[in-house]
Amino acid sequence: MHLIILGAPGSGKGTQAVRIKERYGLAHISTGDILRAEVAAGSELGRRAKAVMDAGQLVGDDIVLAMVGKRLAQPDCVRGWILDGFPRTRAQAEGLGRLLAGADLDVDLGLLIQVQPEEVIRRLSGRRVNRASGRIYSREELIHLADATGEIPAAGAAPEGGDFYQRDDDKADTIRDRLAVYEEQTRPVIDYYENHDKVVRIDGAQPMERVTDAIFSILRDRFGSRESA
Ligand code: AMP
């Protein structure tokens, strides 16, 4: 199974990708996670990427394509994969197509999670990340910490221990830039896969569990009930 998960920042792609990975035993490849790990490690790539990421802009296509090419060559990808946050431009989609053609592979399906922009802003500005595990807490999970204006603190104690923080690019100004980038640069990716008849749409405004059920039902119809052990 070779999947991509599409949708605006904050549409719930990452959460759903982890669930799909667990259910079907796929490799979960999130270019955002790979880039954040490079930033945390202080690598040359991380240093160059950080400024771009903090501004809500996209890291160069060549860099991201090389990163994904390297990751797809790792042994766990043989059982199938789900790409999350990639491709984000038409050039990346075309580059991925070339990479896969070399291995006689193709994207089987693109899952597009649709959420209105107002909801995306609400979710991103309220979400926090566990510094140690990377787990994301939604506004709803942290609402008890909110002050009278409904603002959740940027940092604090995480429900499962450790601490949480707000991603620099989840701050209000950057969210707007990320959404603009999504509309301009990532929408064409949806058109690209739609032209190849590979896109299924899922209503991402439903509760997370319902979104997961909808995705599993689509995958069952297309691929049967293969699950990881
Ligand atoms: P994400 O966690 O997917 O929202 O990604 C966070 C940031 O990493 C993005 O706003 C971009 O700056 C960068 N990034 C992640 N994936 C890509 C990609 N496929 N192409 C370019 N930049 C990316």
Side-chain angles (χ1 to χ4, degrees):
M1 200 183 284
H2 303 104
L3 306 175
I4 54 178
I5 190 153
L6 299 160
S11 58
K13 297 191 300 293
T15 303
Q16 299 300 337
V18 169
R19 293 179 182 182
I20 297 165
K21 158 204 144 142
E22 283 168 0
R23 172 92 168 217
Y24 288 92
L26 306 177
H28 171 212
I29 303 175
S30 155
T31 44
D33 284 352
I34 298 174
L35 286 165
R36 276 185 291 279
E38 294 284 345
V39 171
S43 70
E44 171 63 24
L45 166 59
R47 274 196 297 276
R48 277 187 287 144
K50 183 166 187 342
V52 178
M53 293 168 77
D54 285 351
Q57 301 297 314
L58 296 183
V59 174
D61 291 331
D62 290 348
I63 294 176
V64 176
L65 273 164
M67 234 167 60
V68 171
K70 201 167 135 199
R71 180 66 186 86
L72 285 174
Q74 289 177 9
D76 62 323
C77 291
V78 172
R79 288 179 303 157
W81 34 254
I82 177 157
L83 304 181
D84 166 12
F86 173 91
R88 248 180 164 101
T89 64
R90 193 182 166 97
Q92 289 180 15
E94 289 167 353
L96 175 65
R98 284 192 296 274
L99 255 172
L100 296 178
D104 214 11
L105 289 175
D106 201 355
V107 168
D108 296 319
L109 196 63
L111 301 162
L112 171 60
I113 308 194
Q114 295 184 289
V115 179
Q116 294 301 314
E118 310 79 64
E119 173 64 8
V120 161
I121 293 169
R122 199 189 71 82
R123 287 187 191 177
L124 289 181
S125 59
R127 80 177 179 181
R128 302 291 182 263
V129 185
N130 186 311
R131 196 175 295 281
S133 66
R135 184 186 180 295
I136 292 172
Y137 303 100
S138 66
R139 177 185 288 279
E140 284 65 31
E141 285 173 282
L142 299 171
I143 201 73
H144 61 285
L145 299 173
D147 65 18
T149 66
E151 281 298 309
I152 294 168
E160 307 155 319
D163 61 335
F164 66 75
Y165 76 106
Q166 181 176 36
R167 275 171 49 174
D168 284 336
D169 60 353
D170 279 346
K171 296 184 176 147
D173 287 352
T174 313
I175 292 174
R176 274 188 286 277
D177 292 338
R178 287 165 72 197
L179 287 176
V181 166
Y182 177 76
E183 285 305 326
E184 282 160 26
Q185 304 200 48
T186 307
R187 281 268 169 217
V189 174
I190 299 169
D191 300 339
Y192 175 88
Y193 287 107
E194 229 155 22
N195 289 339
H196 292 77
D197 224 5
K198 295 222 159 130
V199 178
V200 286
R201 292 167 187 270
I202 298 122
D203 174 10
Q206 313 173 76
M208 286 293 176
E209 297 305 328
R210 297 268 297 277
V211 176
T212 309
D213 289 346
I215 292 174
F216 285 171
S217 149
I218 290 165
L219 295 179
R220 232 179 351 257
D221 287 350
R222 300 258 174 160
F223 303 98
S225 55
R226 268 185 293 160
E227 290 177 26
S228 64

